[in-house]
Amino acid sequence: MAAYLQWRRFVFFDKELVKEPLGNDGAAPGATPASGSAASKFLCLPPGITVCDSGRGSLVFGDMEGQIWFLPRSLQLTGFQAYKLRVTHLYQLKQHNILASVGEDEEGINPLVKIWNLEKRDGGNPLCTRIFPAIPGTEPTVVSCLTVHENLNFMAIGFTDGSVTLNKGDITRDRHSKTQILHKGNYPVTGLAFRQAGKTTHLFVVTTENVQSYIVSGKDYPRVELDTHGCGLRCSALSDPSQDLQFIVAGDECVYLYQPDERGPCFAFEGHKLIAHWFRGYLVIVSRDRKVSPKSEFTSRDSQSSDKQILNIYDLCNKFIAYSAVFEDVVDVLAEWGSLYVLTRDGRVHALQEKDTQTKLEMLFKKNLFEMAINLAKSQHLDSDGLAQIFMQYGDHLYSKGNHDGAVQQYIRTIGKLEPSYVIRKFLDAQRIHNLTAYLQTLHRQSLANADHTTLLLNCYTKLKDSSKLEEFIKTKSESEVHFDVETAIKVLRQAGYYSHALYLAENHAHHEWYLKIQLEDIKANSEEFIPIFANNPRELKAFLEHMSEVQPDSPQGIYDTLLELRLQNWAHEKDPQVKEKLHAEAISLLKSGRFCDVFDKALVLCQMHDFQDGVLYLYEQGKLFQQIMHYHMQHEQYRQVITVCERHGEQDPSLWEQALSYFARKEEDCKEYVAAVLKHIENKNLMPPLLVVQTLAHNSTATLSVIRDYLVQKLQKQSQQIAQDELRVRRYREETTRIRQEIQELKASPKIFQKTKCSICNSALELPSVHFLCGHSFHQHCFESYSESDADCPTCLPENRKVMDMIRAQEQKRDLHDQFQHQLKCSNDSFSVIADYFGRGVFNKLTLLTDPPTARLTSSLEAGLQRDLLMHSRRGT
């Protein structure tokens, strides 16, 4: 029982009543039609249903009138008269369209077995291929249960006197079938099930007091006594291969699982068991739960308790309850079309549809139950990509909790699926070098590392100064054991100063060129000292500098400065267009190498000295000197390039558009096309007031009103629309403020009466223990625990309350920032420095909250205060 109480409950199934198919008149055959359109929309089965089964795409029912009904997926109910009196047992085979039934054609104890071939017809009804009496001996007795082997060679019938008969041979024909008594006992037989293991066929027999198994594929039918506990009718089932085809016996104290030769595990599930069923890896139990009424001390003994039938769906592998619900007077539970169907005595059929795997995993993720999510995914055969996604989320959760060791173990399980950079960035930021090293080592062992990963792992070793690990990594016994790029490792080790390790790799893997480079280049002579030697030999000097820049990228800056000057000189004096173009590309390539970031001014002077305009423009752009780029094109009257500069860099420097407008406004020639382009962008980005635009264009004698007419009209229309929207929002916020004040006053001054009678989640009748909130919602405690994200918040109101609290926090943060800015501005001796500091931090950048439109600022402070009060008064009450 203790283990059962620890099992968590989930809602992994969706429940709904099965409705009538479209075009039906709302009443099932044999049922009395209900009055009203609302009552006829749900499917209603014929009255007097006594037995049910399913298979071959249909639900099968037998009733007290001797009729057998079939309900296919189209929900068009059909039936035929199978017996003159009543149907007592049905067994629908899953692999054959054969139905076995037990019923009565005359009064008294005269059970008849009939075998129906549903694929053949006899006068419109299924063909009955065999009829024989179900009598275990000389005296008739009542049939209690029935089962048929899928190979059609075995049929077992259990009786209330403790007997079991076995029909061996072709059960569909009298001539090829032999009936014999397999078992005799003193207790009623309550359940039978065949189990096939290779060529061996076992028959499980359960009575009210014991469990036994027989080998029926041989001659002597050896018997094994499995247990001295039994169960009631319909409280046994055979599991699927996920539970090794074990026989399940649901007693009142425990649920037992059996192999043909021994008892397996047991589970302490409480309640008087009524029905046991196995469905796609789940154990379905219907039990009766007797609970005392909360008003028992004031009522009579007869009304103090009520019987309820509870359906629980257990996942025995993962140890949780996948679904739990209360039903009234359950007739049976059937499985077909991938769903469960619960038939109740009122003729209704309730469908239980299992949620998809992703939905179930998301429910577990919300509760941080990652281990359970992993087990669930494995049991449902989720692919490796799906499992990797779970491992990643589990790792993220552990990482956020500070459990870096546990997190990296989960990330290691994602190798091969998850991009390694995702993990690497996390542990670089956290400076968890040991965890990062463990991840990278596994990445290399699985031969999934690239050159960058090798570089990073070697850097980890060098930063940890772990020479033993480093030597273990690089000193492999054979080439086949190398899990990294050798050249990359040599480069990293040279950069880290581990020259002996780099030499070992170069020598051991026959990289002779690298071996010589390490020996010669890592000695360190200053290459700048050799420049004066080539003073009168510019060609050799250029070759030397280019070689040094290739073999020693970290050469002194003087090497690159001199090389740039030589390339610019050659370009300036060259006359051949093709050679000049090549030299032009070499100079640009050197500028783009990134070696002149710290000597930007010097490179710019060299380009200006040699009139290398492309280089000048490139350096302007790299230095974000967009104004100089603009002035250059203005000086050369390159109108199209002026617009291009604004389009490329206008986001970083919006004043470029204003300068462009001023520039074109002062041009006497016709620039209407360019003026229109500039005006369109100014309008879209709201860069200038309309009056300033008009004043700027007034300097152009060729500009007419038609140039800015569209601009002014659209501007005025937008302002009119904005004014109307602002007035509407102000009016709406005032009304909302009045409503919230009234609601707060009622919460403060008036008592709150909790009078809801139904749970706001499951919509069932409310019972103790229950949870009530001031917002008016009430819940069963177990419903609240299953759906709630917080013990203090109403699950129904939480999403809207969260939006309000986000608004309040954002407004309070904005208000505090404003007060701090005003205080610093008043106390500082240099006000301009304070303003510049806030600009640099992006404080004055436009920020728009999705839940707080910019036009709502007039009443947002007052509304935030009222909403805060309302939230404080809607806390949890029980």
Side-chain angles (χ1 to χ4, degrees):
M1 187 64 65
Y4 164 74
L5 293 176
Q6 295 175 2
W7 286 23
R8 297 185 68 101
R9 292 173 180 266
F10 300 99
V11 185
F12 284 169
F13 284 76
D14 295 320
K15 182 179 82 168
E16 65 175 349
L17 275 170
V18 177
K19 298 181 179 180
E20 288 280 357
L22 294 177
N24 205 334
D25 60 359
T32 302
S35 60
S37 59
S40 63
K41 66 179 181 180
F42 296 114
L43 180 69
C44 187
L45 294 177
I49 295 294
T50 58
V51 63
C52 312
D53 203 359
S54 63
R56 306 297 293 179
S58 294
L59 305 183
V60 188
F61 311 103
D63 64 14
M64 293 293 295
E65 303 297 329
Q67 294 190 87
I68 295 179
W69 301 93
F70 296 93
L71 184 67
R73 195 162 193 173
S74 62
L75 303 182
Q76 300 292 337
L77 195 65
T78 60
F80 70 97
Q81 191 73 36
Y83 293 89
K84 296 179 180 179
L85 293 183
R86 64 187 64 85
V87 181
T88 59
H89 296 82
L90 290 173
Y91 192 93
Q92 172 66 59
L93 277 79
K94 305 300 184 289
Q95 298 178 13
H96 303 275
N97 214 358
I98 299 295
L99 174 67
S101 66
V102 179
E104 298 175 1
D105 281 341
E106 57 186 35
E107 293 293 344
I109 304 176
N110 297 295
L112 284 178
V113 179
K114 295 185 179 182
I115 308 298
W116 307 90
N117 188 333
L118 303 181
E119 292 180 348
K120 297 181 179 180
R121 292 292 172 180
D122 180 14
N125 294 331
L127 176 63
C128 182
T129 63
R130 183 183 180 190
I131 302 176
F132 63 93
I135 301 176
T138 58
E139 296 183 3
T141 184
V142 177
V143 174
S144 59
C145 52
L146 167 73
T147 187
V148 181
H149 197 291
E150 289 294 333
N151 63 10
L152 298 179
N153 287 324
F154 297 98
M155 179 171 62
I157 303 174
F159 299 88
T160 57
D161 66 352
S163 302
V164 176
T165 62
L166 176 67
N167 287 265
K168 195 171 182 180
D170 189 350
I171 66 167
T172 63
R173 300 182 181 181
D174 288 319
R175 290 184 299 174
H176 301 284
S177 179
K178 179 182 179 181
T179 302
Q180 53 190 313
I181 298 178
L182 178 69
H183 171 83
K184 286 186 177 182
N186 299 321
Y187 306 107
V189 179
T190 57
L192 299 168
F194 286 108
R195 180 183 188 271
Q196 189 71 36
K199 295 183 179 180
T200 304
T201 305
H202 292 89
L203 174 65
F204 289 101
V205 179
V206 58
T207 70
T208 56
E209 299 297 331
N210 53 42
V211 182
Q212 304 164 74
S213 72
Y214 290 86
I215 298 178
V216 297
S217 53
K219 294 182 178 180
D220 298 330
Y221 306 139
R223 179 178 69 91
V224 177
E225 185 82 17
L226 297 176
D227 212 336
T228 57
H229 298 282
C231 66
L233 285 172
R234 302 191 301 171
C235 291
S236 61
L238 190 70
S239 69
D240 59 19
S242 67
Q243 281 290 334
D244 200 19
L245 295 173
Q246 296 186 90
F247 187 56
I248 301 169
V249 175
D252 287 347
E253 299 298 329
C254 293
V255 173
Y256 299 92
L257 276 67
Y258 298 92
Q259 294 284 358
D261 55 352
E262 63 180 354
R263 193 178 84 178
C266 68
F267 301 90
F269 298 150
E270 65 181 2
H272 174 62
K273 310 301 187 301
L274 301 176
I275 298 174
H277 193 81
W278 187 263
F279 170 69
R280 297 172 66 176
Y282 293 108
L283 174 61
V284 183
I285 295 289
V286 178
S287 58
R288 179 180 293 113
D289 184 31
R290 183 178 295 272
K291 292 186 178 180
V292 178
S293 172
K295 297 183 179 180
S296 60
E297 56 183 313
F298 302 104
T299 57
S300 64
R301 178 177 299 272
D302 294 338
S303 60
Q304 284 183 3
S305 61
S306 60
D307 289 341
K308 289 188 176 180
Q309 295 182 359
I310 301 177
L311 182 143
N312 286 322
I313 302 178
Y314 300 96
D315 188 324
L316 301 184
C317 291
N318 300 309
K319 303 294 189 296
F320 64 79
I321 301 175
Y323 183 76
S324 182
V326 177
F327 290 89
E328 301 214 350
D329 210 355
V330 176
V331 174
D332 208 342
V333 179
L334 305 175
E336 194 65 26
W337 314 310
S339 301
L340 279 173
Y341 295 88
V342 182
L343 171 64
T344 54
R345 189 63 62 188
D346 59 2
R348 302 296 189 188
V349 180
H350 304 259
L352 299 181
Q353 177 67 45
E354 185 178 8
K355 298 179 186 292
D356 61 85
T357 302
Q358 189 59 39
T359 301
K360 292 188 287 188
L361 292 176
E362 290 174 358
M363 294 171 67
L364 294 174
F365 294 156
K366 289 182 179 179
K367 297 179 181 295
N368 295 327
L369 300 175
F370 293 97
E371 288 289 354
M372 188 172 289
I374 292 171
N375 294 333
L376 176 65
K378 289 181 178 179
S379 66
Q380 303 219 346
H381 307 291
L382 196 67
D383 59 16
S384 56
D385 291 333
L387 282 171
Q389 186 69 20
I390 300 176
F391 295 142
M392 182 196 73
Q393 295 192 45
Y394 192 14
D396 291 345
H397 171 70
L398 294 175
Y399 183 88
S400 66
K401 297 295 183 182
N403 185 359
H404 298 99
D405 294 337
V408 78
Q409 294 304 317
Q410 297 303 322
Y411 289 135
I412 285 175
R413 301 169 77 178
T414 69
I415 290 178
K417 299 296 181 181
L418 179 63
E419 175 60 39
S421 60
Y422 177 84
V423 180
I424 292 171
R425 283 197 300 269
K426 284 182 174 290
F427 292 100
L428 281 178
D429 296 340
Q431 297 183 351
R432 300 289 301 181
I433 302 300
H434 291 88
N435 300 126
L436 179 60
T437 303
Y439 178 80
L440 292 172
Q441 285 175 338
T442 309
L443 198 65
H444 281 81
R445 280 196 292 268
Q446 297 187 18
S447 301
L448 295 173
N450 58 27
D452 293 333
H453 302 147
T454 301
T455 301
L456 188 55
L457 178 58
L458 292 173
N459 283 330
C460 290
Y461 285 141
T462 56
K463 285 189 177 182
L464 294 172
K465 302 187 182 302
D466 193 344
S467 299
S468 60
K469 285 284 187 181
L470 179 59
E471 291 180 2
E472 179 184 350
F473 179 72
I474 66 174
K475 292 184 178 181
T476 53
K477 296 181 180 179
S478 63
E479 191 71 25
S480 61
E481 297 180 6
V482 177
H483 301 289
F484 58 90
D485 183 73
V486 176
E487 290 195 12
T488 300
I490 293 174
K491 293 177 184 178
V492 175
L493 292 171
R494 289 183 65 196
Q495 292 174 359
Y498 284 76
Y499 303 128
S500 61
H501 295 78
L503 277 173
Y504 171 83
L505 283 177
E507 182 179 8
N508 195 48
H509 296 280
H511 288 270
H512 306 300
E513 182 181 356
W514 281 107
Y515 185 86
L516 291 175
K517 286 182 178 181
I518 297 170
Q519 293 283 19
L520 297 175
E521 296 174 8
D522 291 332
I523 298 176
K524 301 296 182 184
N526 187 355
S527 54
E528 274 190 291
E529 297 177 358
F530 296 93
I531 293 179
I533 299 177
F534 301 96
N536 297 321
N537 298 283
R539 180 177 299 176
E540 287 74 11
L541 175 60
K542 182 172 178 289
F544 168 73
L545 295 176
E546 289 177 344
H547 174 74
M548 290 305 301
S549 65
E550 293 176 0
V551 300
Q552 188 177 341
D554 57 345
S555 297
Q557 186 61 40
I559 296 293
Y560 293 95
D561 295 342
T562 307
L563 180 59
L564 176 62
E565 185 174 6
L566 286 174
R567 288 185 177 180
L568 291 176
Q569 287 179 357
N570 294 340
W571 173 83
H573 295 92
E574 183 58 51
K575 303 299 182 182
D576 188 344
Q578 295 183 350
V579 177
K580 192 177 184 72
E581 183 178 356
K582 180 181 178 181
L583 294 173
H584 177 279
E586 290 179 353
I588 287 293
S589 176
L590 184 57
L591 286 173
K592 293 182 177 181
S593 65
R595 300 300 308 183
F596 300 95
C597 297
D598 298 331
V599 290
F600 172 82
D601 294 338
K602 187 172 183 179
L604 183 60
V605 169
L606 287 174
C607 290
Q608 290 174 337
M609 286 175 55
H610 295 86
D611 196 24
F612 191 58
Q613 296 300 330
D614 289 346
V616 171
L617 291 175
Y618 172 77
L619 291 172
Y620 280 162
E621 185 171 355
Q622 293 302 303
K624 300 189 182 302
L625 302 176
F626 307 131
Q627 302 285 349
Q628 283 78 353
I629 300 176
M630 175 79 83
H631 292 159
Y632 173 83
H633 293 302
M634 288 179 176
Q635 290 174 0
H636 292 80
E637 296 188 349
Q638 297 174 343
Y639 299 160
R640 176 54 57 189
Q641 283 75 7
V642 169
I643 298 295
T644 302
V645 171
C646 292
E647 291 174 346
R648 290 182 59 186
H649 308 297
E651 293 291 335
Q652 302 175 61
D653 187 359
S655 64
L656 294 176
W657 290 100
E658 301 175 14
Q659 295 181 28
L661 182 64
S662 179
Y663 170 72
F664 289 124
R666 286 177 168 81
K667 289 296 180 181
E668 294 302 324
E669 60 265 28
D670 188 3
C671 299
K672 292 182 180 179
E673 176 186 354
Y674 304 107
V675 170
V678 175
L679 282 176
K680 181 177 180 182
H681 192 87
I682 289 176
E683 178 193 355
N684 292 338
K685 298 297 182 179
N686 198 22
L687 298 178
M688 295 175 64
L691 184 58
L692 184 58
V693 172
V694 174
Q695 291 176 349
T696 302
L697 291 175
H699 297 286
N700 191 328
S701 59
T702 63
T704 62
L705 183 61
S706 61
V707 177
I708 61 172
R709 180 182 59 189
D710 294 339
Y711 165 78
L712 292 176
V713 169
Q714 294 179 6
K715 198 70 178 178
L716 292 173
Q717 288 177 346
K718 287 184 178 180
Q719 290 181 351
S720 298
Q721 293 174 357
Q722 188 64 41
I723 291 172
Q725 292 176 359
D726 291 346
E727 290 176 347
L728 180 60
R729 287 192 178 95
V730 168
R731 186 163 56 252
R732 186 174 68 248
Y733 285 130
R734 283 176 178 170
E735 295 173 355
E736 182 70 10
T737 300
T738 301
R739 184 190 64 78
I740 293 175
R741 281 176 172 164
Q742 292 175 354
E743 188 171 347
I744 292 173
Q745 185 61 30
E746 290 178 0
L747 288 175
K748 288 180 177 179
S750 303
K752 183 67 175 180
I753 299 174
F754 301 109
Q755 57 185 2
K756 291 205 67 171
T757 59
K758 291 188 177 181
C759 173
S760 298
I761 291 179
C762 69
N763 207 30
S764 298
L766 201 60
E767 296 180 347
L768 292 180
S770 58
V771 180
H772 303 275
F773 287 87
L774 290 176
C775 58
H777 294 109
S778 299
F779 310 91
H780 291 120
Q781 183 172 352
H782 64 85
C783 290
F784 174 76
E785 292 173 351
S786 298
Y787 285 90
S788 65
E789 298 181 14
S790 169
D791 289 343
D793 295 308
C794 172
T796 305
C797 302
L798 181 59
E800 188 64 28
N801 289 349
R802 184 174 290 161
K803 290 171 57 179
V804 173
M805 292 305 296
D806 289 342
M807 289 174 56
I808 293 172
R809 281 193 290 270
Q811 292 165 0
E812 288 179 347
Q813 182 180 7
K814 192 183 303 181
R815 180 189 63 195
D816 295 341
L817 187 62
H818 174 74
D819 296 341
Q820 181 183 358
F821 171 70
Q822 292 293 339
H823 177 73
Q824 291 184 7
L825 198 62
K826 291 178 181 178
C827 299
S828 176
N829 295 327
D830 187 1
S831 302
F832 181 78
S833 298
V834 175
I835 297 174
D837 177 58
Y838 273 79
F839 262 111
R841 287 187 287 165
V843 174
F844 298 110
N845 291 348
K846 184 176 181 181
L847 177 64
T848 301
L849 291 176
L850 294 178
T851 57
D852 183 17
T855 56
R857 296 174 182 168
L858 293 177
T859 59
S860 59
S861 297
L862 178 58
E863 181 190 2
L866 293 173
Q867 289 168 332
R868 185 190 300 107
D869 290 340
L870 181 58
L871 288 175
M872 292 302 293
H873 286 83
S874 63
R875 285 299 183 186
R876 174 183 177 181
T878 57

